[in-house]
Amino acid sequence: MVTLMDYLGPVGALSASVELRMPFPEPVKYLILGVSVTLLLMALGILVWQTFRCCTQTYATHTGPDPVCDDLLRSGPMWTSADGSTGEPSTKVEDVSAQVHRLSRCLLEASVFHAPEECTDKQITPEKVQTEVNTCGPTGCSTLQTDRTLFPSPLLHLQVCGSLRFSVFFDRLQSRLVVTVLQVEGLEEHHPTRTLQPFVRLRLMWAGAEGEETEGSKDEEGKDTPPGLWAVLQEWRSRIVKGSCNPLFGDQFSCTLQGDKELHRIALRMEVRDFDKFSRHVVLGEVRKPLGQINVSYPLELQEELKAPQKDLVGEVLLSLKFLPTSQRLEVGLLKVRLVLVDISSEAALCARISVQWNQCKLRHHKTSVLSYSLVTVFNQVFLFSLPELPLEQCKILVSVYAKDAARKSAKRLIGQLTVGKQKHSEDKHWSLMMHSVRQPTAMWHGLLL
């Protein structure tokens, strides 16, 4: 016999389940229930509406040509091919945003700097976009967009204007020369996007050899340089005045002159430049004042008009050239450097940097070893340059001679530069001799300009 027994649960749990109720009155409970039902009905309504739109929406597909565009294409004259057949012109969509940006910059610079005729005289049309970019690129337009080292900057051909006010005094008791840069007046803005940052670079030049003529003493524009060799005794630089066309300086510089340096053989050369953070300073004009033509025994204040910059002959370089057409190589030999010997320390040394440029773009360069400074420094070093498949007529050789202190690591100072190649105005005599005597070295003296 099985006895049925009732097992009672815990009294505490049963009482808790019975007492579990919401602590809200009845009206609040019905209000919450009504809001929930309303939200549910709204969600269902939105779902039904979106489903109805998705089922009833139709997509129109365009399979034929646009009648408006078709009428525009047919309204013009018929296109004729090279073989005489006629038909509708074919269209091609291209992204010319980059070309338009380049040409807009070219036209902007041309309106300010008077760029070459390839950029200013031609009217650029949509069909000639690619052609105009290719023609303007090698002749000067791309420099306005990319690096300025590719082509000569048109800023170098600006009209020189303005004047420089300065004072000079020579104390004969202490043999001390004092030069004070006071003010530059009448400068003009030459850049459309930034203001002027002028400063003055001063060089005290000493005529080491008067009346001595040197072959190749012409600058890059074919202009003759003053006869005779010059040496730089002192070199100074004033502070930079930003955003002013009439800057005030008030910088004073002094140096002690030796007894063997006659005052009538010393000239003061002052260049007004526009500062550039990449050291490509633009020369706005210069003033040259021979001290032998003025009385500097008392403080003398002068104001001179700025003139076009002119280079001085500071030395001579014996250069050897040889062209190897089969291997497309150029052999450049730096044999000797002749300079005016001034009173310098025994630790002074010379070095040179030889670079090959194509279309104003530096391809390769080599540096010579550092040798002691003397009247005639013998290098006898030959360097080979492998040239790419480029027209040799557009190549040129740039030789830069520097002076530095061999005892300690100090910044080198540029003494002078020379350029050999086929220039715009004339062809260098040494370059033409090298081209006529292929595979044979030819040596010639060149003038070193500063």
Side-chain angles (χ1 to χ4, degrees):
M1 179 181 296
V2 179
T3 304
L4 298 177
M5 298 180 64
D6 294 333
Y7 295 92
L8 298 177
V11 180
L14 291 177
S15 61
S17 62
V18 173
E19 295 177 358
L20 184 60
R21 296 178 180 179
M22 298 182 65
F24 298 108
E26 294 296 332
V28 177
K29 295 179 183 179
Y30 286 111
L31 180 60
I32 295 175
L33 179 61
V35 172
S36 303
V37 173
T38 304
L39 293 177
L40 177 61
L41 293 177
M42 291 176 60
L44 291 176
I46 293 174
L47 179 60
V48 172
W49 178 59
Q50 292 292 341
T51 306
F52 176 75
R53 285 189 57 190
C54 182
C55 295
T56 58
Q57 186 177 4
T58 58
Y59 299 93
T61 58
H62 181 73
T63 58
D66 189 0
V68 178
C69 297
D70 186 67
D71 293 340
L72 291 176
L73 289 175
R74 293 178 183 275
S75 61
M78 297 297 291
W79 174 77
T80 305
S81 63
D83 56 357
S85 60
T86 60
E88 297 180 359
S90 60
T91 60
K92 182 180 179 180
V93 179
E94 294 183 356
D95 184 13
V96 294
S97 58
Q99 288 83 351
V100 171
H101 178 66
R102 293 175 61 185
L103 292 174
S104 63
R105 295 191 61 182
C106 177
L107 293 177
L108 176 62
E109 298 287 349
S111 63
V112 180
F113 304 126
H114 304 289
E117 297 179 357
E118 290 80 2
C119 301
T120 56
D121 294 341
K122 295 185 179 180
Q123 182 180 2
I124 301 174
T125 58
E127 290 103 1
K128 295 182 180 180
V129 168
Q130 187 64 31
T131 303
E132 294 296 336
V133 172
N134 290 338
T135 55
C136 288
T139 55
C141 297
S142 58
T143 53
L144 305 176
Q145 170 188 337
T146 57
D147 188 46
R148 286 185 293 180
T149 58
L150 294 179
F151 300 97
S153 173
L155 300 177
L156 298 177
H157 306 284
L158 290 176
Q159 184 179 2
V160 179
C161 58
S163 61
L164 175 63
R165 188 160 57 93
F166 62 98
S167 66
V168 185
F169 170 64
F170 179 68
D171 189 356
R172 297 186 180 274
L173 297 178
Q174 300 180 359
S175 298
R176 192 172 188 84
L177 181 67
V178 180
V179 181
T180 306
V181 180
L182 300 176
Q183 186 181 9
V184 178
E185 300 177 355
L187 297 180
E188 292 184 358
E189 296 283 351
H190 60 269
H191 203 284
T193 59
R194 65 180 182 88
T195 58
L196 281 176
Q197 301 182 17
F199 69 95
V200 182
R201 180 181 292 275
L202 299 89
R203 289 190 178 97
L204 204 61
M205 310 294 294
W206 180 70
E210 295 181 346
E212 182 177 342
E213 297 182 357
T214 305
E215 295 185 3
S217 57
K218 293 185 178 182
D219 56 9
E220 296 181 359
E221 298 181 358
K223 300 179 182 179
D224 294 330
T225 57
L229 294 179
W230 293 82
V232 180
L233 296 180
Q234 292 288 337
E235 187 172 355
W236 304 292
R237 170 176 163 175
S238 69
R239 60 187 179 91
I240 300 173
V241 180
K242 297 183 179 180
S244 176
C245 294
N246 301 288
L248 288 171
F249 293 98
D251 297 338
Q252 188 176 88
F253 310 97
S254 62
C255 68
T256 302
L257 301 180
Q258 301 295 332
D260 56 346
K261 303 293 189 303
E262 297 85 353
L263 198 62
H264 69 277
R265 300 181 66 178
I266 297 178
L268 184 60
R269 174 181 171 183
M270 295 170 286
E271 294 179 348
V272 180
R273 299 190 176 191
D274 186 17
F275 177 78
D276 182 77
K277 61 181 179 180
F278 300 107
S279 299
R280 292 190 291 262
H281 311 306
V282 179
V283 182
L284 304 178
E286 74 171 10
V287 172
R288 294 171 180 264
K289 200 64 180 177
L291 299 184
Q293 298 179 1
I294 56 178
N295 186 10
V296 294
S297 58
Y298 60 92
L300 180 63
E301 182 175 331
L302 302 171
Q303 184 167 0
E304 299 287 338
E305 296 293 331
L306 295 179
K307 298 181 180 179
Q310 190 179 13
K311 295 185 178 181
D312 293 316
L313 185 64
V314 295
E316 298 173 319
V317 175
L318 182 58
L319 205 64
S320 173
L321 300 179
K322 183 172 69 173
F323 177 59
L324 305 175
T326 305
S327 58
Q328 197 69 13
R329 288 187 177 183
L330 185 63
E331 184 181 281
V332 181
L334 183 60
L335 305 182
K336 297 179 181 180
V337 175
R338 180 190 302 166
L339 300 173
V340 178
L341 189 61
V342 294
D343 293 338
I344 58 174
S345 61
S346 59
E347 298 176 351
L350 290 181
C351 63
R353 174 190 173 104
I354 304 175
S355 60
V356 174
Q357 300 180 357
W358 179 81
N359 212 8
Q360 299 292 335
C361 179
K362 293 184 179 180
L363 298 178
R364 291 168 179 82
H365 71 274
H366 289 287
K367 295 181 181 179
T368 64
S369 56
V370 181
L371 301 178
S372 59
Y373 196 114
S374 61
L375 181 61
V376 179
T377 306
V378 180
F379 283 90
N380 285 336
Q381 299 181 16
V382 180
F383 305 96
L384 282 175
F385 296 89
S386 298
L387 303 178
E389 295 296 333
L390 299 173
L392 192 62
E393 291 77 10
Q394 298 184 9
C395 293
K396 67 178 182 179
I397 304 168
L398 179 63
V399 180
S400 304
V401 180
Y402 298 91
K404 60 183 302 185
D405 196 342
R408 60 180 184 273
K409 293 183 180 180
S410 59
K412 55 186 179 181
R413 178 178 60 87
L414 177 64
I415 294 181
Q417 291 180 332
L418 69 92
T419 304
V420 181
K422 188 174 182 179
Q423 307 296 332
K424 295 181 179 179
H425 302 275
S426 62
E427 184 175 0
D428 191 90
K429 182 179 179 181
H430 195 185
W431 184 268
S432 59
L433 183 61
M434 179 195 69
M435 297 303 298
H436 284 85
S437 57
V438 181
R439 299 183 181 89
Q440 296 295 329
T442 57
M444 187 176 294
W445 286 94
H446 294 269
L448 198 62
L449 304 178
L450 178 63

